[in-house]
Amino acid sequence: MKRFVVMTLRRSMYGALFVGALLLVACSSKPPVPDWQMNAQGASQKALDAYLSGNARVEALEWDRARAEVARTGRPDLLARLELMRCAAQVASLVIGPCERFEPLRADAAPPELAYADYLAGRLQPGQVALLPEAQRKVAVSGTVATLAGLEDPLSRLVAAGVLFHTGKASPGVIVEAAEVASAQGWRRPLMAWLTLQVQRADAAGDAQAVASLRRRLAMVERGSPLRE
């Protein structure tokens, strides 16, 4: 019986779709996986890690390397998936805005990528829900903190929380859950974003004690190592 080895993207919120076409299934009876696939996987994971930790210089370098490797294939659909990974990480960190590098590739993107792009942008249509990755589909349907907390992958939870916030559906519980997920993973960039949001909401509610506590947490994260922009 043939043995199949599937290369997966660690902690990737969009890994299931990205890996399916970018990091192709390798069979023991066939030639080795091409270098571009391995290089793109390594660079994209380093870029994600750097972004979440707040290292903008390394992030930019690694995304450029990943793009260069994928571009070797001449397949804009694969490049579109790569750009959606980057934009999803931004949404997870409450950086809400157009997925600019994806838009020029939209014409060559498949329906699942178009649905995911619209989901990140907060304009998902009912007919597109079934095309989302499973984790995001669950939250898109329920929108509850219980469903969010039940997702196994932490980055998927943060992406879903970011979309809920962007679409005005994030309950206080969703915001707390997102901050604690980022805290548990040690992801400085999203943690600072979600803690800052909590400070703003506590301040608006006149909860001085919560504001003071949250600001102490935020200051601890900020003092660890300044974000490099």
Side-chain angles (χ1 to χ4, degrees):
M1 182 181 294
K2 296 180 180 179
R3 292 187 304 164
F4 294 91
V5 180
V6 182
M7 300 303 297
T8 60
L9 281 175
R10 177 172 56 91
R11 295 200 310 260
S12 174
M13 81 301 293
Y14 196 50
L17 292 177
F18 183 66
V19 173
L22 177 56
L23 305 179
L24 304 177
V25 176
C27 178
S28 60
S29 65
K30 294 183 179 180
V33 178
D35 287 345
W36 74 265
Q37 293 177 7
M38 301 298 293
N39 295 340
Q41 190 270 345
S44 60
Q45 185 58 58
K46 289 177 182 177
L48 282 173
D49 289 342
Y51 180 79
L52 295 170
S53 67
N55 192 331
R57 182 184 64 82
V58 172
E59 176 216 348
L61 288 173
E62 295 299 338
W63 280 129
D64 285 346
R65 287 172 182 159
R67 292 186 188 102
E69 292 296 334
V70 176
R72 291 167 58 185
T73 69
R75 290 187 56 181
D77 60 321
L78 297 186
L79 194 57
R81 293 185 176 196
L82 183 69
E83 297 302 343
L84 287 174
M85 288 176 59
R86 177 175 177 270
C87 290
Q90 292 176 331
V91 170
S93 303
L94 296 180
V95 179
I96 308 298
C99 191
E100 295 179 352
R101 286 180 176 267
F102 169 79
E103 291 305 321
L105 305 166
R106 178 178 282 272
D108 296 297
E113 284 71 55
L114 294 173
Y116 197 72
D118 290 343
Y119 172 70
L120 294 177
R123 56 172 183 264
L124 183 73
Q125 300 301 310
Q128 295 177 301
V129 174
L131 299 175
L132 293 176
E134 182 181 2
Q136 306 305 324
R137 185 167 64 247
K138 289 179 178 178
V139 178
V141 170
S142 75
T144 66
V145 66
T147 303
L148 184 71
L151 300 184
E152 182 178 354
D153 179 63
L155 196 47
S156 292
R157 272 184 272 168
L158 283 183
V159 173
V163 172
L164 288 175
F165 173 74
H166 182 37
T167 55
K169 300 175 182 177
S171 66
V174 166
I175 296 171
V176 171
E177 172 69 15
E180 294 313 305
V181 168
S183 174
Q185 297 299 315
W187 289 337
R188 294 183 65 253
R189 187 182 295 272
L191 177 56
M192 291 178 67
W194 288 100
L195 284 178
T196 298
L197 178 60
Q198 284 186 288
V199 168
Q200 293 170 349
R201 296 207 164 188
D203 190 41
D207 190 340
Q209 184 175 355
V211 168
S213 176
L214 289 164
R215 282 180 174 165
R216 286 193 295 270
R217 290 188 66 186
L218 189 56
M220 180 185 295
V221 179
E222 290 175 331
R223 286 196 299 265
S225 178
L227 287 174
R228 295 176 283 277
E229 300 294 351

